[in-house]
Amino acid sequence: MTTIRSCSPADISKLNLCNLDPLTENYARKFYFDYLAKWPTMFIVAENQKGQIVAYVMGKVEEDPDYLKILGDKYLPWHGHVTALTVAPQYRQMGLAKRLTAQLDRACEQENAWFMDLFVRVSNKTAISMYKKMGYSVYRRVLSYYSDDPTGKGTSEDAFDMRKSLPRDKHRRYVREKGENNRINPEDLYHG
């Protein structure tokens, strides 16, 4: 049986089983500790019976600064963001990603977020399909978002910015369908 629970500081040193996947972003230990300190309810792990961390999700809530509201539709309001979601290969297809993201969604709903967003490599068809089944849609394509290319075919790779409305966004104002052809450059993502 696998237990879903909040991450603890001791868990940071046990993420290796998940981080061996070439599509998983790896960060410095300080980055993980910073997330845990700032958003403790949004760093969630799945632990097996042996005490191994076999999956995790890291998230946060954020928004553009108020002075950027003049940007209109480009202003990014209070929302939840999936920074990392990974499941160890031998624990895939067991529903762990869905359980982890559902708990993150609830944490972001408690923070009154409008929507959830995440970035995923356009080549990661398995993840894109999974996210669509969870209710996400492609909002836009970010050109050359990833500066590395795990396939070895190039020097960068595009990302899909995928979003899912939360209950606060009753009119689905912050999501769109079929955003694959709405292309932007990475420097157009962040304003603040």
Side-chain angles (χ1 to χ4, degrees):
M1 174 163 207
T2 305
T3 303
I4 305 294
R5 62 173 176 75
S6 294
C7 184
S8 72
D11 293 328
I12 303 296
S13 63
K14 297 193 237 173
L15 300 178
N16 289 347
L17 190 61
C18 303
N19 286 348
L20 295 175
D21 180 352
L23 293 175
T24 297
E25 295 292 320
N26 284 280
Y27 305 100
R29 289 172 59 94
K30 181 183 182 318
F31 185 83
Y32 294 104
F33 283 113
D34 286 348
Y35 255 76
L36 184 58
K38 290 178 187 173
W39 301 284
T41 63
M42 298 180 192
F43 196 153
I44 306 156
V45 298
E47 181 181 39
N48 69 10
Q49 291 176 322
K50 296 178 183 176
Q52 298 171 307
I53 303 303
V54 297
Y56 68 88
V57 65
M58 292 171 48
K60 63 180 177 179
V61 284
E62 62 184 354
E63 69 183 331
D64 280 342
D66 281 343
Y67 68 85
L68 290 175
K69 287 183 179 178
I70 61 169
L71 295 173
D73 288 346
K74 290 186 178 182
Y75 173 77
L76 206 55
W78 190 246
H79 68 284
H81 176 71
V82 179
T83 302
L85 170 64
T86 187
V87 179
Q90 61 271 40
Y91 285 85
R92 292 182 183 160
Q93 303 297 317
M94 298 172 69
L96 291 176
K98 186 175 182 178
R99 289 172 58 197
L100 289 166
T101 55
Q103 189 161 329
L104 178 60
D105 289 353
R106 286 190 296 276
C108 291
E109 286 173 32
Q110 290 175 350
E111 294 291 330
N112 207 24
W114 287 94
F115 62 91
M116 297 296 298
D117 79 349
L118 58 87
F119 295 93
V120 61
R121 293 175 185 274
V122 297
S123 65
N124 194 345
K125 305 294 186 208
T126 303
I128 292 165
S129 174
M130 177 190 71
Y131 290 128
K132 285 182 176 181
K133 288 176 187 171
M134 291 183 199
Y136 284 84
S137 62
V138 175
Y139 186 75
R140 56 193 169 182
R141 184 180 187 130
V142 185
L143 303 174
S144 299
Y145 180 79
Y146 293 100
S147 60
D148 65 331
D149 180 6
T151 66
K153 295 178 184 172
T155 58
S156 67
E157 184 175 358
D158 296 352
F160 285 141
D161 175 359
M162 299 186 76
R163 294 185 182 182
K164 175 173 91 170
S165 289
L166 292 177
R168 183 177 180 190
D169 187 15
K170 292 176 180 42
H171 303 290
R172 297 181 48 82
R173 181 176 167 196
Y174 298 106
V175 297
R176 74 166 61 108
E177 298 298 321
K178 300 183 178 164
E180 290 86 351
N181 294 323
N182 184 5
R183 296 168 185 250
I184 67 165
N185 293 312
E187 58 269 18
D188 297 326
L189 279 174
Y190 305 105
H191 308 106

